Amino acid sequence: MHFTEPVYRHPYWPTWPLIEITQGCSHNRCEFCTMYRDVRFGVKPMEVIESDLAEIAQDMPRAKTIQLLSGDPLALPYSKLVQVMENIHEYLPDIERIYAVCRVDNFRNKTVDELMSLHELGLEEVSLGIESGNDWTLDRVNKGYLAKDVPEQCAKLDEAGIKYWLTFMNGIAGHEHSHNHAVHTADVFNRCNPSTVYVTSLALFPGTPLLADAEHGEFDPLSEKSLLVELRTLLEHLDTDCALVTHHTASLNLSTPDFLRDKERILDETIENGNIELLTLKRSLKTGL
Ligand code: SF4
């Protein structure tokens, strides 16, 4: 198998087999992310993809699911993705569901009809690292798109029948913009139909511009208590029928398959039961601060 480090596989989908069709991230400029900093974005040659599929077919000839890697494999144009998916079905005829982590702007250059045919070829669910629905925040961390792009592109996924996760990054806006970050993100997510809202929280990793800004007093990270207040604000305003996953080690475990059913209970628990000391300790073990 040909994998380029680092390999990220979405932990909530079947994690094997995996097939790398791109390497790195086509954007690679988010100010909090070092994941693919040293990897140049590239597309795997089809013969390499085919040789990996042949290897998977030997080990798991009856595989029913597969994850496309790496950072944003759906950056590939439609025609190339069709080729990849047709090859997947040729080598693994029982494949029913194909998954991929991607950027929301991967869909700008794809029509609803094209997305429908990718869905027919097995594209079941994608995970979108949105992080925020607040334009100031998106610009601050250089995400490379605007809040309005999110419902616009997600409507195309809805029409095509492709399910999607939307990620909220707790703490990414810093103190001053925390409230707007939470409220605007809830508003954007409410205009979409995510299968799951996934809450991660900001870790200031060494080597990131955001950590350098924090060290120079130009970014004001949230305390654990403020992170919980921000999370609570998001959840108060969130009103979409979805699952909620908040398993990040620096967050609380408030996950539920039915957010609207459990919303009131979760709101009660978000701040009341937060072990601030434990959360602060966990974060200090992870970050450069
Ligand atoms: S789009 Fe994702 S992988 Fe790429 S730089 Fe931003 S956070 Fe990192």
Side-chain angles (χ1 to χ4, degrees):
M1 297 296 295
H2 300 80
F3 291 114
T4 312
E5 294 288 340
V7 172
Y8 173 76
R9 49 184 162 183
H10 193 291
Y12 295 93
W13 293 329
T15 52
W16 182 254
L18 311 165
I19 182 79
E20 182 174 291
I21 66 171
T22 57
Q23 56 194 37
C25 166
S26 65
H27 181 62
N28 214 8
R29 288 194 296 276
C30 297
E31 299 229 328
F32 56 88
C33 176
T34 52
M35 173 118 45
Y36 302 109
R37 189 63 53 87
D38 301 323
V39 185
R40 196 181 175 145
F41 180 72
V43 180
K44 274 297 178 54
M46 196 54 80
E47 58 271 21
V48 176
I49 295 174
E50 285 199 52
S51 100
D52 285 349
L53 285 171
E55 211 174 314
I56 295 169
Q58 276 188 348
D59 292 342
M60 296 184 70
R62 303 265 73 91
K64 288 191 169 9
T65 64
I66 193 164
Q67 275 194 46
L68 306 181
L69 304 182
S70 214
D72 59 343
L74 299 190
L76 288 190
Y78 166 72
S79 56
K80 189 87 177 174
L81 284 169
V82 169
Q83 232 183 320
V84 168
M85 290 189 188
E86 284 176 348
N87 273 329
I88 289 175
H89 289 292
E90 196 178 318
Y91 284 90
L92 301 166
D94 291 350
I95 286 286
E96 292 169 357
R97 296 184 302 282
I98 298 173
Y99 300 91
V101 172
C102 57
R103 286 175 52 84
V104 74
D105 55 5
N106 290 158
F107 303 110
R108 271 194 198 132
N109 66 351
K110 297 174 181 70
T111 65
V112 171
D113 284 347
E114 288 171 345
L115 292 172
M116 275 176 180
S117 79
L118 294 179
H119 180 52
E120 277 160 21
L121 282 165
L123 187 59
E124 172 78 7
E125 192 164 52
V126 296
S127 183
L128 302 164
I130 302 298
E131 331 300 9
S132 180
N134 172 253
D135 278 334
W136 182 92
T137 306
L138 291 170
D139 184 51
R140 173 69 179 83
V141 299
N142 201 18
K143 272 306 288 190
Y145 49 77
L146 297 170
K148 74 176 177 55
D149 293 323
V150 180
E152 210 170 281
Q153 299 307 318
C154 286
K156 289 161 65 179
L157 295 174
D158 287 334
E159 224 180 309
I162 298 170
K163 293 185 279 184
Y164 49 92
W165 291 44
L166 297 177
T167 301
F168 170 77
M169 189 171 279
N170 202 186
I172 199 178
H175 258 287
E176 194 185 334
H177 296 269
S178 172
H179 183 77
N180 282 351
H181 165 49
V183 172
H184 293 174
T185 304
D187 177 51
V188 164
F189 286 8
N190 288 341
R191 287 188 274 140
C192 305
N193 296 292
S195 55
T196 303
V197 166
Y198 187 22
V199 177
T200 61
S201 69
L202 177 69
L204 288 168
F205 290 112
T208 56
L210 213 51
L211 174 59
D213 287 350
E215 287 167 343
H216 293 114
E218 289 157 15
F219 178 76
D220 195 7
L222 269 60
S223 65
E224 292 305 328
K225 183 78 178 175
S226 301
L227 283 168
L228 287 180
V229 171
E230 183 182 279
L231 178 57
R232 191 178 208 285
T233 305
L234 170 87
L235 298 180
E236 259 172 354
H237 289 81
L238 190 67
D239 209 12
T240 187
D241 186 10
C242 62
L244 177 73
V245 174
T246 64
H247 281 210
H248 195 287
T249 50
S251 185
L252 293 170
N253 182 359
L254 302 169
S255 301
T256 168
D258 189 339
F259 170 65
L260 291 182
R261 182 194 64 195
D262 295 338
K263 181 170 173 174
E264 289 311 314
R265 175 187 62 76
I266 288 171
L267 285 176
D268 287 345
E269 285 178 12
T270 311
I271 292 179
E272 312 320 326
N273 295 340
N275 183 337
I276 304 298
E277 280 175 19
L278 178 64
L279 297 178
T280 305
L281 175 66
K282 279 185 175 179
R283 187 177 304 280
S284 72
L285 295 173
K286 289 182 61 122
T287 70
L289 279 183

